[in-house]
Amino acid sequence: MRCAIFGCGGLGPYAIQIAVRSGAFVVALDVSENKLKLARAAGAQATLIANDTAIEKLGSLGGMHACINFAPTAATWPMRIGGIRPRGRIVATAMVSALVPVSQEWLTGTGV
């Protein structure tokens, strides 16, 4: 199972540890290289800077079975929907004040 953890400060490192100990291959994403160092120390097998190239990189890994967001920004949404595989799970734990573009047709059509 491949799991992407978005946001590697605060609760992100704990989620990384739980996912790794559950047997998942964990890809950690953040905008901060320092937080990605913490993610690697927590056990993430791969790290990515959360930017426009992350979608392609997540796809090249075969897509994620789960994307879990701890980053308090709507900017991670395109990366999550671009990196999830069909029938994958997206968990949004962080509250954001900006609108998040969710398409009911996309959710239904992909089974996410």
Side-chain angles (χ1 to χ4, degrees):
M1 179 168 147
R2 291 177 299 280
C3 178
I5 306 286
F6 293 82
C8 299
L11 296 175
Y14 295 109
I16 291 167
Q17 291 176 20
I18 292 168
V20 167
R21 290 184 179 159
S22 297
F25 178 86
V26 175
V27 180
L29 296 97
D30 203 287
V31 295
S32 166
E33 186 58 47
N34 287 335
K35 289 182 181 176
L36 291 177
K37 288 178 187 175
L38 293 174
R40 285 188 286 275
Q45 291 95 337
T47 57
L48 297 172
I49 292 289
N51 60 24
D52 293 339
T53 65
I55 296 171
E56 181 181 319
K57 292 176 182 174
L58 290 173
S60 72
L61 292 170
M64 300 292 111
H65 293 91
C67 290
I68 306 171
N69 181 58
F70 292 97
T73 175
T76 61
W77 186 252
M79 289 176 264
R80 285 182 274 154
I81 62 173
I84 198 76
R85 58 184 285 144
R87 305 284 183 219
R89 299 290 179 255
I90 293 177
V91 180
T93 61
M95 298 296 291
V96 297
S97 59
L99 294 176
V100 177
V102 178
S103 166
Q104 184 65 39
E105 289 136 4
W106 177 82
L107 289 170
T108 304
T110 61
V112 172

